[in-house]
């Protein structure tokens, strides 16, 4: 059964094999915000609430009758899941980052392998963040010629989630 809720479990690549007890039996992904039923089974919060509210109100594993009052958040299990070591979701694009699932979202804000849109007015070109500095300095058709490298760094820094100086330094290093 396809899960209608886009906030079902986590679909990430983990460094170690995932313990089957940490996989949701509804969406078959890693538990996201795990809830436990009074019959002892774990599900993603949204998965089990969807079963109770829109489904047959029975545990998908043992047919026990369920209600929103007899399920509870499994804080310990959630802590275990957020401690799992995973790869960046941009691994296929070249990102070599690994770390705890709990900091993956923070990593994505700075990951140079995520897609970004050129912040120069009129340009909507999309590219990996790692190429944005070079694009803004040399390639952008909407580029207003800056007076110095510092102005390019300032333009990059104005773009949300980007470290303009770091990206400019990386671009200058590649150019040399």
């Amino acid at each position: 059964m396809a899960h209608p809720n886009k906030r079902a479990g986590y679909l990430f690549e983990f460094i170690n094999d995932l313990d089957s007890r940490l996989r949701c039996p509804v969406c078959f992904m890693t538990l996201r915000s795990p809830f436990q039923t009074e019959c002892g089974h774990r599900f993603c919060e949204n998965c089990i609430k969807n079963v109770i509210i829109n489904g047959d109100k029975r545990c998908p594993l043992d047919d026990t009758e369920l209600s929103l009052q007899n399920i509870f958040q499994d804080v310990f299990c959630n802590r275990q899941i957020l401690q799992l070591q995973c790869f960046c979701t941009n691994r296929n694009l070249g990102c070599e980052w690994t770390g705890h699932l709990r900091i993956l979202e923070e990593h994505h804000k700075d990951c140079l392998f995520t897609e970004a849109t050129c912040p120069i007015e009129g340009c909507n070109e999309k590219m990996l963040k790692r190429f944005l500095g070079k694009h803004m300095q040399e390639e952008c058709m909407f580029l207003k010629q800056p007076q110095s490298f510092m102005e390019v760094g300032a333009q990059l820094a104005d773009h949300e989630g980007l470290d303009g100086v770091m990206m400019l330094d990386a671009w200058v290093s590649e150019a040399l």
Side-chain angles (χ1 to χ4, degrees):
M1 167 177 128
H3 195 274
N5 191 324
K6 64 182 177 186
R7 295 283 296 169
Y10 295 112
L11 188 57
F12 299 127
E13 184 179 357
F14 294 98
I15 293 174
N16 298 313
D17 290 338
L18 185 67
D19 183 328
S20 61
R21 294 174 293 181
L22 301 178
R23 193 173 306 279
C24 176
V26 173
C27 68
F28 304 106
M29 293 187 263
T30 307
L31 293 163
R32 180 188 299 264
S33 184
F35 264 61
Q36 196 172 132
T37 62
E38 68 179 7
C39 54
H41 298 113
R42 290 182 178 139
F43 301 90
C44 298
E45 175 181 11
N46 289 335
C47 291
I48 196 61
K49 286 182 176 181
N50 187 50
V51 166
I52 293 170
I53 294 167
N54 301 317
D56 63 6
K57 299 173 182 24
R58 298 198 157 287
C59 176
L61 296 178
D62 68 5
D63 210 34
T64 300
E65 191 172 330
L66 299 176
S67 71
L68 293 176
Q69 290 72 36
N70 64 7
I71 62 172
F72 59 93
Q73 188 173 20
D74 192 330
V75 177
F76 176 76
C77 181
N78 192 54
R79 195 171 325 135
Q80 282 183 302
I81 291 166
L82 294 178
Q83 289 290 11
L84 294 172
Q85 294 280 320
C86 62
F87 294 101
C88 176
T89 55
N90 298 315
R91 182 178 184 209
N92 61 329
L93 299 173
C95 184
E96 296 179 0
W97 180 90
T98 60
H100 294 289
L101 178 60
R102 68 180 157 75
I103 60 172
L104 179 62
E105 189 174 318
E106 182 179 317
H107 163 72
H108 278 156
K109 292 176 188 173
D110 299 323
C111 181
L112 296 179
F113 293 87
T114 56
E115 186 175 77
T117 302
C118 178
I120 295 176
E121 187 175 334
C123 183
N124 292 316
E125 190 167 335
K126 295 184 184 311
M127 67 205 73
L128 295 181
K129 284 182 184 178
R130 66 189 230 131
F131 299 124
L132 194 56
K134 182 178 180 186
H135 168 80
M136 290 176 65
Q137 178 67 31
E138 295 180 358
E139 303 164 351
C140 183
M141 294 172 34
F142 297 91
L143 179 65
K144 296 175 188 164
Q145 291 300 321
Q147 299 296 317
S148 68
F149 281 123
M150 294 308 291
E151 287 185 37
V152 173
Q155 288 175 5
L156 283 168
D158 286 343
H159 193 281
E160 184 178 324
L162 298 179
D163 181 341
V165 175
M166 179 186 76
M167 291 181 67
L168 185 58
D169 287 346
W171 174 77
V172 169
S173 296
E174 285 180 23
L176 300 175

